[in-house]
Amino acid sequence: FFFLMIRRPPRSTLFPYTTLFRSQEFLGAVFNVNQSTISRTISLMLKVIEKSADSQLGLYLEEAKKNAPIGNNYISNQADFLRKYPDLEEIATDATESPCYRPKNRETNKKFYSGKSKKHTIKTDITVASTRKILNVSGSYPGSVHDKTMLENKKTIDKTTKYSRHLMDKGYCGVKKKHKDKNILIPFKKPKGGELSRFQKEVNRYISQKRIFVEHIIGKLKNNRIIAGVYRGPKSSFNQVFRNIAAIWNFKLATASP
């Protein structure tokens, strides 16, 4: 342990690794250590960043649901709930894709190919509050997995309460029918061979404008080239990297000066 502390490069190693996504050989040359020391340092740091930056990431929704009031007086209960959990007044869920290398195995190759992006990707669902706080990060899935499938597999909707206005895009059509007890807003889908009414178009425009904050947060997260560019690491480690970046975002948000 003492040897690792002496030979370990500065903490700033993580910045060029996640934000610029420099190779470990390049970082070794910059900090005048060998590649194995860089690899060991990054491996140790990636395991503790989420807990250090935001230990409640992924637990916030479940904790809020446990403390949600149960009763028929919806209006007063909602006011009490949102007073305690203001971040949950309006939330939005969306999926984002990150490029990855083409797998050599044929079956794996098919799983990771995204027909939407026309390349091999890893997909992740995030739930964000209108206050810009990231409330939940799902597991990461191959690019061929549908957005709605990820949402249902991780039971993200079950973690929320009826007191939150939950905004989604058309990729989650059908979710509202399965969760009638939740306040979910999804744009109308154009019927085959038909047209949307003027009212439906206005509703779609309203939802798109209200949920734009989740798109902004995804854009902010992708300032880190490690999830915006082609991910070179093991696919099994990608989700922890994504969660770490989300936790760092929440930490910056919480410590930002008013």
Side-chain angles (χ1 to χ4, degrees), residues 191-223:
K192 190 175 182 180
E195 292 291 336
L196 294 176
S197 67
R198 184 176 178 181
F199 170 76
Q200 290 174 325
K201 290 180 180 178
E202 288 296 326
V203 171
N204 286 2
R205 187 177 296 109
Y206 170 81
I207 294 175
S208 297
Q209 291 173 348
K210 295 296 288 184
R211 64 174 294 278
I212 194 65
F213 61 85
V214 69
E215 303 285 357
H216 290 164
I217 299 304
I218 289 175
K220 293 290 186 181
L221 296 181
K222 287 199 171 181
N223 285 336

CSV table of all heavy atoms in Angstrom, one decimal, residues 191-223:
chain,number,residue,atom,x,y,z
A,191,PRO,N,-51.0,8.4,-35.7
A,191,PRO,CA,-51.6,7.1,-36.2
A,191,PRO,C,-51.2,6.8,-37.6
A,191,PRO,O,-50.9,7.7,-38.4
A,191,PRO,CB,-53.1,7.4,-36.1
A,191,PRO,CG,-53.2,8.9,-36.2
A,191,PRO,CD,-52.0,9.5,-35.5
A,192,LYS,N,-51.1,5.5,-37.9
A,192,LYS,CA,-50.7,5.0,-39.2
A,192,LYS,C,-51.7,5.5,-40.3
A,192,LYS,O,-52.9,5.2,-40.1
A,192,LYS,CB,-50.6,3.5,-39.2
A,192,LYS,CG,-49.9,3.0,-40.5
A,192,LYS,CD,-49.7,1.5,-40.4
A,192,LYS,CE,-49.0,0.9,-41.6
A,192,LYS,NZ,-48.8,-0.5,-41.5
A,193,GLY,N,-51.3,6.2,-41.2
A,193,GLY,CA,-52.2,6.7,-42.3
A,193,GLY,C,-53.0,7.9,-41.8
A,193,GLY,O,-53.9,8.3,-42.6
A,194,GLY,N,-52.8,8.4,-40.6
A,194,GLY,CA,-53.7,9.5,-40.1
A,194,GLY,C,-52.8,10.7,-39.8
A,194,GLY,O,-51.6,10.8,-40.0
A,195,GLU,N,-53.5,11.7,-39.1
A,195,GLU,CA,-52.8,12.9,-38.7
A,195,GLU,C,-53.2,13.2,-37.2
A,195,GLU,O,-54.3,12.8,-36.8
A,195,GLU,CB,-53.2,14.1,-39.6
A,195,GLU,CG,-52.7,14.0,-41.0
A,195,GLU,CD,-51.2,14.2,-41.1
A,195,GLU,OE1,-50.6,14.8,-40.2
A,195,GLU,OE2,-50.6,13.7,-42.1
A,196,LEU,N,-52.3,13.9,-36.5
A,196,LEU,CA,-52.6,14.3,-35.2
A,196,LEU,C,-53.5,15.5,-35.2
A,196,LEU,O,-53.4,16.4,-36.2
A,196,LEU,CB,-51.3,14.7,-34.4
A,196,LEU,CG,-50.4,13.5,-34.1
A,196,LEU,CD1,-49.1,14.1,-33.5
A,196,LEU,CD2,-51.0,12.5,-33.2
A,197,SER,N,-54.4,15.6,-34.2
A,197,SER,CA,-55.3,16.8,-34.2
A,197,SER,C,-54.4,18.0,-33.7
A,197,SER,O,-53.3,17.9,-33.2
A,197,SER,CB,-56.4,16.6,-33.2
A,197,SER,OG,-55.9,16.4,-31.9
A,198,ARG,N,-55.0,19.2,-33.8
A,198,ARG,CA,-54.3,20.4,-33.4
A,198,ARG,C,-54.0,20.4,-31.9
A,198,ARG,O,-53.0,20.8,-31.5
A,198,ARG,CB,-55.2,21.6,-33.7
A,198,ARG,CG,-54.5,23.0,-33.4
A,198,ARG,CD,-55.4,24.1,-33.8
A,198,ARG,NE,-54.8,25.4,-33.5
A,198,ARG,CZ,-55.3,26.6,-33.8
A,198,ARG,NH1,-56.5,26.6,-34.4
A,198,ARG,NH2,-54.7,27.7,-33.4
A,199,PHE,N,-55.0,19.8,-31.1
A,199,PHE,CA,-54.8,19.7,-29.7
A,199,PHE,C,-53.7,18.8,-29.4
A,199,PHE,O,-52.8,19.1,-28.5
A,199,PHE,CB,-56.1,19.2,-29.1
A,199,PHE,CG,-56.0,18.8,-27.6
A,199,PHE,CD1,-55.9,19.8,-26.6
A,199,PHE,CD2,-55.9,17.5,-27.2
A,199,PHE,CE1,-55.7,19.5,-25.3
A,199,PHE,CE2,-55.7,17.1,-25.9
A,199,PHE,CZ,-55.6,18.1,-24.9
A,200,GLN,N,-53.6,17.6,-30.1
A,200,GLN,CA,-52.5,16.7,-29.8
A,200,GLN,C,-51.2,17.3,-30.2
A,200,GLN,O,-50.2,17.0,-29.5
A,200,GLN,CB,-52.8,15.4,-30.6
A,200,GLN,CG,-54.0,14.6,-30.1
A,200,GLN,CD,-54.3,13.4,-31.0
A,200,GLN,OE1,-54.1,13.5,-32.3
A,200,GLN,NE2,-54.7,12.3,-30.5
A,201,LYS,N,-51.1,18.0,-31.2
A,201,LYS,CA,-49.8,18.7,-31.6
A,201,LYS,C,-49.4,19.7,-30.5
A,201,LYS,O,-48.2,19.8,-30.2
A,201,LYS,CB,-50.0,19.4,-33.0
A,201,LYS,CG,-50.1,18.4,-34.1
A,201,LYS,CD,-50.3,19.2,-35.5
A,201,LYS,CE,-50.4,18.2,-36.6
A,201,LYS,NZ,-50.6,18.9,-37.9
A,202,GLU,N,-50.3,20.4,-30.0
A,202,GLU,CA,-50.0,21.4,-28.9
A,202,GLU,C,-49.5,20.6,-27.7
A,202,GLU,O,-48.6,21.1,-27.0
A,202,GLU,CB,-51.3,22.2,-28.6
A,202,GLU,CG,-51.6,23.2,-29.7
A,202,GLU,CD,-50.6,24.3,-29.9
A,202,GLU,OE1,-49.9,24.6,-28.9
A,202,GLU,OE2,-50.4,24.7,-31.0
A,203,VAL,N,-50.2,19.5,-27.4
A,203,VAL,CA,-49.7,18.7,-26.2
A,203,VAL,C,-48.3,18.2,-26.4
A,203,VAL,O,-47.4,18.3,-25.5
A,203,VAL,CB,-50.7,17.5,-25.9
A,203,VAL,CG1,-50.1,16.6,-24.9
A,203,VAL,CG2,-52.0,18.1,-25.5
A,204,ASN,N,-48.0,17.7,-27.6
A,204,ASN,CA,-46.7,17.2,-27.9
A,204,ASN,C,-45.6,18.3,-27.8
A,204,ASN,O,-44.5,18.1,-27.3
A,204,ASN,CB,-46.7,16.6,-29.3
A,204,ASN,CG,-47.4,15.3,-29.4
A,204,ASN,OD1,-47.9,14.8,-28.4
A,204,ASN,ND2,-47.4,14.7,-30.6
A,205,ARG,N,-46.0,19.5,-28.3
A,205,ARG,CA,-45.1,20.6,-28.2
A,205,ARG,C,-44.8,21.0,-26.8
A,205,ARG,O,-43.7,21.3,-26.4
A,205,ARG,CB,-45.6,21.8,-29.0
A,205,ARG,CG,-44.7,23.0,-29.1
A,205,ARG,CD,-45.2,24.1,-29.9
A,205,ARG,NE,-45.5,23.7,-31.3
A,205,ARG,CZ,-46.7,23.6,-31.9
A,205,ARG,NH1,-47.8,23.8,-31.1
A,205,ARG,NH2,-46.8,23.2,-33.1
A,206,TYR,N,-45.9,21.0,-26.0
A,206,TYR,CA,-45.7,21.3,-24.5
A,206,TYR,C,-44.8,20.3,-23.8
A,206,TYR,O,-43.9,20.7,-23.1
A,206,TYR,CB,-47.1,21.3,-23.9
A,206,TYR,CG,-47.0,21.4,-22.4
A,206,TYR,CD1,-46.9,22.7,-21.7
A,206,TYR,CD2,-47.2,20.3,-21.6
A,206,TYR,CE1,-46.8,22.8,-20.4
A,206,TYR,CE2,-47.1,20.4,-20.2
A,206,TYR,CZ,-46.9,21.6,-19.6
A,206,TYR,OH,-46.9,21.7,-18.2
A,207,ILE,N,-45.0,19.0,-24.1
A,207,ILE,CA,-44.2,18.0,-23.4
A,207,ILE,C,-42.7,18.1,-23.9
A,207,ILE,O,-41.8,18.0,-23.1
A,207,ILE,CB,-44.7,16.6,-23.7
A,207,ILE,CG1,-46.1,16.4,-23.1
A,207,ILE,CG2,-43.8,15.5,-23.2
A,207,ILE,CD1,-46.8,15.1,-23.4
A,208,SER,N,-42.5,18.4,-25.2
A,208,SER,CA,-41.1,18.5,-25.7
A,208,SER,C,-40.4,19.7,-25.1
A,208,SER,O,-39.2,19.6,-24.7
A,208,SER,CB,-41.2,18.7,-27.2
A,208,SER,OG,-41.7,17.5,-27.8
A,209,GLN,N,-41.1,20.8,-24.9
A,209,GLN,CA,-40.5,21.9,-24.2
A,209,GLN,C,-40.2,21.7,-22.8
A,209,GLN,O,-39.2,22.2,-22.3
A,209,GLN,CB,-41.4,23.2,-24.4
A,209,GLN,CG,-41.6,23.6,-25.9
A,209,GLN,CD,-42.6,24.7,-26.0
A,209,GLN,OE1,-43.4,25.0,-25.1
A,209,GLN,NE2,-42.6,25.4,-27.2
A,210,LYS,N,-41.1,21.0,-22.1
A,210,LYS,CA,-41.0,20.8,-20.7
A,210,LYS,C,-39.8,19.8,-20.3
A,210,LYS,O,-39.2,19.9,-19.3
A,210,LYS,CB,-42.3,20.3,-20.0
A,210,LYS,CG,-43.4,21.3,-20.1
A,210,LYS,CD,-43.1,22.6,-19.3
A,210,LYS,CE,-43.1,22.3,-17.8
A,210,LYS,NZ,-42.9,23.5,-17.0
A,211,ARG,N,-39.7,18.8,-21.2
A,211,ARG,CA,-38.7,17.7,-20.9
A,211,ARG,C,-37.3,18.0,-21.5
A,211,ARG,O,-36.4,17.2,-21.5
A,211,ARG,CB,-39.2,16.4,-21.4
A,211,ARG,CG,-39.3,16.3,-22.9
A,211,ARG,CD,-39.7,14.9,-23.4
A,211,ARG,NE,-38.6,14.0,-23.1
A,211,ARG,CZ,-37.6,13.8,-23.9
A,211,ARG,NH1,-37.5,14.5,-25.0
A,211,ARG,NH2,-36.6,12.9,-23.6
A,212,ILE,N,-37.1,19.2,-22.1
A,212,ILE,CA,-35.8,19.5,-22.7
A,212,ILE,C,-34.7,19.5,-21.7
A,212,ILE,O,-33.5,19.3,-22.1
A,212,ILE,CB,-35.9,20.9,-23.4
A,212,ILE,CG1,-34.7,21.1,-24.4
A,212,ILE,CG2,-36.0,22.0,-22.4
A,212,ILE,CD1,-34.7,20.1,-25.5
A,213,PHE,N,-34.9,19.6,-20.4
A,213,PHE,CA,-33.9,19.7,-19.4
A,213,PHE,C,-33.1,18.4,-19.4
A,213,PHE,O,-31.9,18.3,-19.1
A,213,PHE,CB,-34.4,20.1,-18.0
A,213,PHE,CG,-35.4,19.2,-17.5
A,213,PHE,CD1,-35.0,18.0,-16.8
A,213,PHE,CD2,-36.7,19.4,-17.6
A,213,PHE,CE1,-36.0,17.2,-16.2
A,213,PHE,CE2,-37.7,18.6,-17.0
A,213,PHE,CZ,-37.3,17.5,-16.3
A,214,VAL,N,-33.8,17.2,-19.6
A,214,VAL,CA,-33.1,15.9,-19.6
A,214,VAL,C,-32.1,15.9,-20.8
A,214,VAL,O,-31.0,15.3,-20.7
A,214,VAL,CB,-34.1,14.8,-19.6
A,214,VAL,CG1,-34.8,14.6,-20.9
A,214,VAL,CG2,-33.3,13.4,-19.3
A,215,GLU,N,-32.5,16.4,-21.9
A,215,GLU,CA,-31.6,16.5,-23.1
A,215,GLU,C,-30.3,17.3,-22.8
A,215,GLU,O,-29.2,17.0,-23.2
A,215,GLU,CB,-32.3,17.0,-24.3
A,215,GLU,CG,-33.6,16.3,-24.7
A,215,GLU,CD,-33.3,15.0,-25.4
A,215,GLU,OE1,-32.1,14.7,-25.6
A,215,GLU,OE2,-34.2,14.2,-25.7
A,216,HIS,N,-30.6,18.4,-22.1
A,216,HIS,CA,-29.5,19.3,-21.7
A,216,HIS,C,-28.5,18.6,-20.8
A,216,HIS,O,-27.2,18.7,-20.9
A,216,HIS,CB,-30.0,20.6,-21.0
A,216,HIS,CG,-30.7,21.5,-21.9
A,216,HIS,ND1,-31.5,22.5,-21.5
A,216,HIS,CD2,-30.7,21.5,-23.3
A,216,HIS,CE1,-32.0,23.1,-22.6
A,216,HIS,NE2,-31.6,22.6,-23.6
A,217,ILE,N,-29.0,17.8,-19.8
A,217,ILE,CA,-28.1,17.1,-18.9
A,217,ILE,C,-27.3,16.0,-19.6
A,217,ILE,O,-26.1,15.9,-19.3
A,217,ILE,CB,-28.9,16.5,-17.7
A,217,ILE,CG1,-29.7,17.6,-16.9
A,217,ILE,CG2,-28.0,15.7,-16.8
A,217,ILE,CD1,-28.7,18.7,-16.4
A,218,ILE,N,-28.0,15.3,-20.5
A,218,ILE,CA,-27.2,14.3,-21.3
A,218,ILE,C,-26.1,15.0,-22.1
A,218,ILE,O,-25.0,14.5,-22.1
A,218,ILE,CB,-28.2,13.6,-22.2
A,218,ILE,CG1,-29.1,12.7,-21.4
A,218,ILE,CG2,-27.4,12.8,-23.2
A,218,ILE,CD1,-30.2,12.0,-22.3
A,219,GLY,N,-26.4,16.2,-22.6
A,219,GLY,CA,-25.3,16.9,-23.3
A,219,GLY,C,-24.2,17.3,-22.4
A,219,GLY,O,-23.0,17.2,-22.8
A,220,LYS,N,-24.5,17.7,-21.2
A,220,LYS,CA,-23.5,18.1,-20.2
A,220,LYS,C,-22.6,16.9,-19.8
A,220,LYS,O,-21.4,17.0,-19.7
A,220,LYS,CB,-24.1,18.7,-18.9
A,220,LYS,CG,-24.8,20.0,-19.1
A,220,LYS,CD,-23.8,21.1,-19.4
A,220,LYS,CE,-24.5,22.4,-19.4
A,220,LYS,NZ,-23.6,23.6,-19.7
A,221,LEU,N,-23.3,15.7,-19.6
A,221,LEU,CA,-22.5,14.5,-19.3
A,221,LEU,C,-21.6,14.1,-20.4
A,221,LEU,O,-20.5,13.6,-20.2
A,221,LEU,CB,-23.5,13.4,-19.0
A,221,LEU,CG,-24.4,13.5,-17.7
A,221,LEU,CD1,-25.3,12.3,-17.6
A,221,LEU,CD2,-23.6,13.8,-16.5
A,222,LYS,N,-22.0,14.3,-21.6
A,222,LYS,CA,-21.2,13.9,-22.8
A,222,LYS,C,-20.1,14.9,-23.1
A,222,LYS,O,-19.4,14.7,-24.1
A,222,LYS,CB,-22.1,13.7,-24.0
A,222,LYS,CG,-23.0,12.4,-23.8
A,222,LYS,CD,-23.5,11.9,-25.1
A,222,LYS,CE,-24.1,10.5,-25.0
A,222,LYS,NZ,-24.7,10.0,-26.2
A,223,ASN,N,-19.9,15.9,-22.3
A,223,ASN,CA,-18.7,16.7,-22.4
A,223,ASN,C,-17.5,15.8,-22.0
A,223,ASN,O,-16.4,16.2,-22.3
A,223,ASN,CB,-18.8,17.9,-21.4
A,223,ASN,CG,-19.7,19.0,-22.0
A,223,ASN,OD1,-19.9,19.1,-23.2
A,223,ASN,ND2,-20.2,19.8,-21.1
